[in-house]
Amino acid sequence: ATSQDYLDRLAKNYPKSKFQAETRKVSGDNAFAMKEWQTAADSYREYLDLDGDIQERERVGLKLAECYWELEDYYPAAEVLQEVSQDAQSAEIAFRARLLRARVHVRMNDFEIVNLLVKELREEAEIYHARGEVVLVEAEALESRDGPLSITQLDDGPLIAKGNLEVLRGSGAKSTVTTKAAFCRCGASANKPYCDGSHIKMGFKTG
C-alpha cells in the first residue's frame, strides 16, 4: 500500500479527527507533485473546508489556485487568488497570489484588472526578486491584446481610443498598456500624448 492509501484510510476511519485536515493537505501535496491537478484541487478544497492553520491555509489556497490555473479553470482561480491576496498574513504569499491573479485575468481578458495588478506588482517586484515574472505577465497581456480598436473624436476635446492598446514613447520604449486612453489634440497638455484637460482652459475648438 502507498502512503496515499494510508492517508485515505485514516481520513475514512477517523472522520472527526483533528488530523483530518492534515491528511487532506498531504494528499493534495502528493497529487500536486504528480501533476494530478484535479485530485490535488479536490484535496486542497476539502482542506480549506476544514479548520486548519491560518498560514497553511494561505499556502494551500495559493496551491489550489495553481491547480485551477493548470486545469484552465480561470474563474474559480480568480476567486481564490483574490481571497488569498486580500487575507494573507504573509506579504510574499499575497504578492505571489496577485502575480498569478494577473496572469489569470489576462486569460479572462480582464485587462483593466491586469493593469491595476501590474502597477502594484511592479512596485514590489524588487523585494521578491520577481521583475522577470512581472515582465512575463506584461508580455502575456500584450499577446492577448489583438482585436478591434475604436477611435472617437470628442467635440472640442481629445481623441478617445478603446480597445487593446500599447502606447509607445518616441524612443520606442513602452509607455503603458491599457484598454482606454484619451489623447491630446489641442497641443497644450503637460502630459502628452495624453489629455490633461488643458483644452478646456484654452478654449480649444475643433470645428
Side-chain angles (χ1 to χ4, degrees), residues 68-205:
Y68 286 142
W69 166 264
E70 295 291 346
L71 293 166
E72 300 183 359
D73 203 356
Y74 300 124
Y75 286 96
E79 291 178 0
V80 171
L81 289 165
Q82 182 174 10
E83 182 178 343
V84 172
S85 62
Q86 289 177 342
D87 299 340
Q89 294 183 356
S90 165
E92 182 167 5
I93 287 181
F95 172 81
R96 294 292 170 187
R98 287 196 299 276
L99 190 62
L100 182 55
R101 187 181 171 215
R103 298 186 70 192
V104 165
H105 281 285
V106 168
R107 298 295 177 89
M108 295 168 65
N109 294 320
D110 291 336
F111 293 109
E112 290 187 14
I113 295 177
V114 174
N115 292 341
L116 292 172
L117 289 169
V118 166
K119 183 178 180 180
E120 295 176 3
L121 291 166
R122 283 199 201 109
E123 296 172 356
E124 299 179 65
E126 291 291 345
I127 300 174
Y128 302 110
H129 308 287
R131 286 187 64 185
E133 293 170 86
V134 176
V135 170
L136 173 63
V137 173
E138 295 179 283
E140 289 177 339
L142 288 177
E143 290 176 4
S144 301
R145 284 178 178 273
D146 295 331
L149 177 67
S150 68
I151 305 292
T152 303
Q153 300 182 47
L154 296 188
D155 291 340
D156 305 330
L159 294 174
I160 304 297
K162 294 181 180 180
N164 297 331
L165 300 170
E166 177 185 5
V167 182
L168 303 180
R169 300 183 188 279
S171 63
K174 181 173 62 179
S175 170
T176 190
V177 175
T178 187
T179 56
K180 182 179 180 180
F183 294 106
C184 175
R185 278 203 294 167
C186 71
S189 174
N191 188 34
K192 294 185 184 70
Y194 306 106
C195 172
D196 68 355
S198 294
H199 60 280
I200 298 174
K201 297 177 182 178
M202 67 177 296
F204 176 70
K205 299 294 182 183

